[in-house]
Structures are given as structure tokens and as C-alpha cells.
Amino acid sequence: MTKRARILVAVGATVAGLVTAVPSTATAGTGTAAPRAVAPLKWKACGTKSYPNLQCSTVRTPLDHDRPSGRQVTLALSRIPHTAKTSQGPLLVNPGGPGGSGLSMAGFVASSLPGKVAAQYDVIGFDPRGVGKSTPALNCVPKYFDPVRPDAVPDSYPAEKANRDRAASFAAACGKKHGDLLPFMDTVSTAKDLDVIRRALGSQRINYLGYSYGTYLGAVYAKLFPERVRRLVLDSIVDPDGVWYEDNLGQDHAFDARHKAFAAWIAKNDATYGLGTDPAEVEAAWYGMRAAVKQHPAGGRVGPSELEDTFLPGGYYNGYWPSLAQTFAAYVKDKDQQALVSAYKTFGAIDASGDNGYSVYAAVQCRDAAWPRTWSIWRNDTWEAHRKAPLMSWNNTWYNAPCATWPVEPLEPVQVTNDKIPPALLFQATDDAATPYEGGVTMNRRLSGSSLVVEEGGGNHGISLSGSNCLDAYLVDYLTDGTLPRAGGSGADAVCAAQPEPKPQKAAKAGTSTKGATLHGLLGFRS
């Protein structure tokens, strides 16, 4: 029996007691209800130091799209308006998640594209339903991630049960606090929100650029509204066949591989960090650090789970490696606990916006598709992954474990196969950990006529507008006039070399002012 089949069997046996207010968005389609009239948007200046021309607005959208005249929720929008005489229409941008705020993405994308290209688009950012400045915003359990949490890797049955109970309490709190919203927190409902935004913009079609989870959102929108898609760019692509349980298992192995690449980079730069020239020796020192903070959390704040959270961003973006390596060396060589605490505050700590983001993440992923309801499936699959990929397998399981007892029954995932949209442009790095390479290959097959651009040897998550002239040239050509690379056959249509590895630094820094650092700050982690 496949993992997917096991999940469906387990779910089928246990959903009877769940909330059953299921909108007909459970399957792909725009539904039968007539769309509600949308008022034209009123924009006001909301510029920042980084993006002084930013404008903001809001739009009302049905909580339940099958009841367009019923309860409404509010979506927060941002815009950098076009300045050219001829416009190519709105370009909606999304940083992923689910749960990521997209308001700053409009300014970033508009300022990162060549001026002549950006001037042709109204670049539109948005906070999806439940996120950030959209209302109501979800926050199931404030300070859920406050330190020191239980060790992610259970060394006894009571330790495992403590984490299970903790995850179940989060799911129960979400149901109690947001039970009226949870049946409508899903990707299909969010995709239908995008069409409300389109109508409010007064546009017949939209252009779309999505990163990470934003690739799945864009593909679902294209399935529901193929006639409304003008250009579609998907970067760092979710495997649509693994939504969401199997995709997370794939992440376990991919992040472990990125952690090994991090150890190899430190070994190559032993002159700076002094942790040894053998990658295996460096990796062993990291796990030694993990064992040490389990016994005595650094500064009373960084235990093993917080340590994993601190180093996980290095799997998303290697621009963080110098800072993380310096922190690692300071603790191992100098017993500098404050270095770990400082790095945790920078990379691992969750604030109120992070609480909101995680609540939306759980709400959408638990609702979108079936998860196992039999805990032995989670346990067996996680231990199997942990034996080969110990870095974050259990950490990732507990991050998603609320789905094991989620109080709303799951929907069926959307089959995103599509031959009705214009050719799409896809970007994928071969060593991406958050959305492994196979997802890009699968999406390329699912979207007829799409073109896949691959960063060979690249390990970052989010690769366009991140400093690669080669990758960005394909994006610019596509946004300018729809031009796509075509290699023929079933492989990549174009290949770009990976960007150079970061240079070692003797002083710990959280990143530089490069486009890559800015982008990855917007994309966040776990997106």
C-alpha cells in the first residue's frame, strides 16, 4: 500500500467526528454561485524607506465563495503602479508559506526587475486570507514556539507523547478559537480570492509570479481560471503530487543533504572556522553541540529544538552560512552560549507575525489534503527518514503534527494538470531542500507547453531575482514579450550554473545587502 493510500484509509476511518462544514471548493472548479460585485480599489500611499512608491488598499472577499453574499473577509493589498504608456496588466506576486505576507513583495519585485520591464506592470502584493494585515488574522496559540521546547527527537515514549499532546493541543486551540474560519482556510479558497482581486483591479487576465507554496497557489488558480491567466512564473516548485504529507517527507532528506553541504563548506574553510577539514568531523561536532544544549540549553533559551530551528534557514539560503558557521565555531571552540542565543534570535525565534504565519500554515496544509490519522504511520515514516536524515525529520514531523488531529475534515487535492493556459515559465534549483527538484520536473509535465529553467548545482530556495544574471534574463524575456527557452525533449529547456558559494567571514553577520539576502528575508523559512 502506498503512503497516499495508507493516509486515505486512516483518514476515512476517523473523520466522522470532525467539523463537516465543507464548501464545494473541495474539488477543482469555479463553483455555481454567481460572483459578487467587487468595488473598484482605492489606493493610498504607504511607501517605506526601501519602497517609497508603494501604495496600499483592501478588498472584501467572501469567506465562503459558494455564498458570495454571506460573510466577507478583508484582504490587504499593495501596489507599485505601472509608469509606461502601455501596460501589460497586473503582476500578482506571492512569497509562499502558506502563511507568508506578500505586501513587501510588490516593492521588491518592481525594484529588482529592469526599469523598462517593471514600468509595464502594476506589481501587486497581497496578504492571503488569514495572514498579516488581512482580517480576520489567525493566531491559534500565541508564543507556541517559545523556548525551551521539548527535544524534537523522542528518546522515550513519554517524550514522544509530550510532543504529540502538544501538537494536539494546538489543533484543538485552533478549532476553539477559529472554528468559523478553518473550513475556508485552503488553497482553493485562496485561489478564488485571487480572482476577486483580479476583478477589483478591473483586469481581464492576470500575470503571476509565485515562490515556494506560491507555485502551488498559482497552479491551482490556473486550474480554476485558465482563461484568466496571461503569464505564469513559478519559482522553487511544490510537487503537486505530494501535497502535503509526502512532500514533507521529501524535505527531510533534502534538508539533511543541505546540512551536509554546509558541513563540507565549513571543512573547506577550516582556516577561518577551525572545526576540521573533514566534513564528517564537522557534522559530528554539530551533533555534539546538539547533545550539549540538550543537557544545558544555551543561555537557558536554546535547546536542541531551538538549535535545529536556528540552523534550518541555512538549508534555504547559503548566504546565511558564514554567520551560522561563525556561531557554530564560537560555541564549540569557545563555549560561547551568547553566540547561540543571538543566532537563535536572528534565525530561529518566532514573533507574533510568525505565530500568525504558522497558524495559517497549519490551517491550509491540514485542510488542503488528507494526513494520516493513525499515529503509527507518522512514527514509522519519521523514524525511517531519521535513520538516513537525522537533521530535521522529527522537527518537521512535530511542525506538521497538528494535522493528525485537525478539527476540520480534509479536502481532495487539486489535480493541477493543465493544457488550457499559455505556456508558463518554471525555475528550479537541483539541490533545493524546501521544494526538491522533482517538484519542478513534475510541474513541467503537468503544465502543457511550460518551460523549465534549471539552476544546476544550486541549493537555494527561491532563485530568480536573487543575483543570477542567467536566470533573470529568462524571466525578463518572458515578462517582456512571452519569450521562453525551448530545448526540445523532456528535460530542462535551459540550464544556468549555480551562483558562487559564499565567502567565509570571521565576524558573524546575518547576511548582506544583496538581492539574494533581501529575497530570502521576504520568503522566510518553512515556506
Side-chain angles (χ1 to χ4, degrees):
M1 187 181 293
T2 65
K3 287 187 177 72
R4 176 68 180 161
R6 285 189 284 128
I7 295 169
L8 292 174
V9 169
V11 169
T14 57
V15 296
L18 302 179
V19 176
T20 56
V22 184
S24 66
T25 55
T27 56
T30 58
T32 57
R36 181 175 180 268
V38 182
L41 297 173
K42 297 179 181 179
W43 297 96
K44 63 180 181 180
C46 61
T48 65
K49 182 177 180 181
S50 298
Y51 310 119
N53 296 324
L54 202 64
Q55 300 174 349
C56 292
S57 187
T58 59
V59 65
R60 303 278 282 172
T61 186
L63 174 64
D64 178 356
H65 284 279
D66 281 348
R67 297 174 176 84
S69 297
R71 180 181 175 185
Q72 304 290 296
V73 296
T74 299
L75 306 179
L77 309 179
S78 63
R79 177 178 76 165
I80 299 291
H82 76 277
T83 55
K85 292 182 179 179
T86 302
S87 170
Q88 297 207 47
L91 172 63
L92 275 65
V93 295
N94 180 268
S101 170
L103 296 181
S104 294
M105 282 294 294
F108 170 78
V109 170
S111 62
S112 298
L113 289 169
K116 290 183 179 180
V117 177
Q120 299 173 38
Y121 290 91
D122 292 308
V123 185
I124 308 294
F126 59 97
D127 277 355
R129 56 173 54 202
V131 175
K133 293 185 178 180
S134 293
T135 56
L138 271 64
N139 192 346
C140 298
V141 181
K143 300 183 178 181
Y144 180 71
F145 288 98
D146 274 11
V148 173
R149 308 198 312 275
D151 186 355
V153 182
D155 55 10
S156 66
Y157 175 76
E160 180 181 326
K161 187 175 185 303
N163 272 311
R164 283 183 62 188
D165 290 347
R166 188 170 177 276
S169 70
F170 182 90
C174 282
K176 183 177 181 179
K177 189 173 183 179
H178 299 300
D180 57 333
L181 302 176
L182 295 188
F184 310 102
M185 292 298 300
D186 59 88
T187 299
V188 168
S189 294
T190 304
K192 291 186 175 185
D193 290 342
L194 299 190
D195 209 58
V196 172
I197 295 172
R198 176 195 63 77
R199 289 187 283 122
L201 292 168
S203 179
Q204 289 295 311
R205 295 189 294 168
I206 65 168
N207 308 281
Y208 180 89
L209 166 60
Y211 292 87
S212 192
Y213 164 77
T215 65
Y216 184 63
L217 174 60
V220 169
Y221 178 83
K223 182 69 174 183
L224 299 181
F225 304 98
E227 74 282 1
R228 301 303 184 188
V229 176
R230 183 174 180 270
R231 290 187 185 138
L232 180 67
V233 184
L234 309 181
D235 186 322
S236 302
I237 299 164
V238 166
D239 187 338
D241 292 352
V243 175
W244 290 106
Y245 182 72
E246 292 183 28
D247 279 351
N248 276 279
L249 287 175
Q251 283 185 337
D252 296 344
H253 297 274
F255 272 105
D256 197 79
R258 288 307 293 159
H259 193 64
K260 286 178 168 58
F262 172 55
W265 179 84
I266 292 174
K268 186 167 64 175
N269 293 289
D270 182 60
T272 299
Y273 301 113
L275 291 169
T277 59
D278 180 359
E281 179 183 345
V282 173
E283 191 174 21
W286 192 90
Y287 284 102
M289 176 172 62
R290 188 189 190 283
V293 299
K294 180 175 182 177
Q295 295 298 318
H296 302 286
R301 293 180 61 80
V302 182
S305 292
E306 290 75 27
L307 185 75
E308 290 168 349
D309 293 348
T310 300
F311 281 80
L312 183 63
Y316 285 85
Y317 176 51
N318 63 13
Y320 299 138
W321 286 3
S323 179
L324 292 172
Q326 186 62 32
T327 297
F328 178 14
Y331 182 84
V332 170
K333 292 166 42 179
D334 303 325
K335 308 303 180 186
D336 186 348
Q337 296 189 38
Q338 188 55 43
L340 272 187
V341 173
S342 178
Y344 167 70
K345 290 179 179 178
T346 299
F347 294 110
I350 300 295
D351 59 12
S353 65
D355 287 336
N356 165 242
Y358 177 66
S359 295
V360 174
Y361 170 94
V364 172
Q365 291 217 352
C366 297
R367 177 68 164 145
D368 265 356
W371 293 74
R373 291 279 170 172
T374 302
W375 182 252
S376 61
I377 296 176
W378 292 75
R379 178 192 295 118
N380 293 339
D381 286 344
T382 305
W383 277 122
E384 181 182 351
H386 179 85
R387 283 189 284 272
K388 297 179 180 179
L391 174 69
M392 65 162 285
S393 294
W394 274 107
N395 187 304
N396 203 22
T397 287
W398 299 125
Y399 197 79
N400 292 283
C403 295
T405 59
W406 200 246
V408 183
E409 67 179 65
L411 305 176
E412 281 293 319
V414 175
Q415 301 301 310
V416 302
T417 300
N418 203 323
D419 60 3
K420 297 180 180 179
I421 59 172
L425 176 62
L426 315 181
F427 290 102
Q428 187 65 46
T430 57
D431 299 336
D432 184 351
T435 51
Y437 179 71
E438 292 74 18
V441 175
T442 299
M443 191 68 82
N444 190 30
R445 292 198 302 264
R446 296 286 180 266
L447 303 184
S448 179
S450 62
S451 180
L452 178 62
V453 178
V454 171
E455 185 182 29
E456 183 66 40
N460 290 338
H461 179 64
I463 56 176
S464 66
L465 302 182
S466 186
S468 169
N469 293 332
C470 177
L471 295 169
D472 289 355
Y474 292 110
L475 176 63
V476 168
D477 286 348
Y478 181 65
L479 293 179
T480 298
D481 57 17
T483 298
L484 288 169
R486 295 295 185 192
S490 58
D493 294 282
V495 177
C496 293
Q499 294 191 63
E501 289 184 333
K503 295 181 180 179
Q505 299 170 354
K506 292 187 177 181
K509 297 179 181 178
T512 64
S513 59
T514 64
K515 284 203 299 183
T518 303
L519 173 64
H520 289 91
L522 293 172
L523 299 186
F525 317 126
R526 304 270 191 181
S527 57

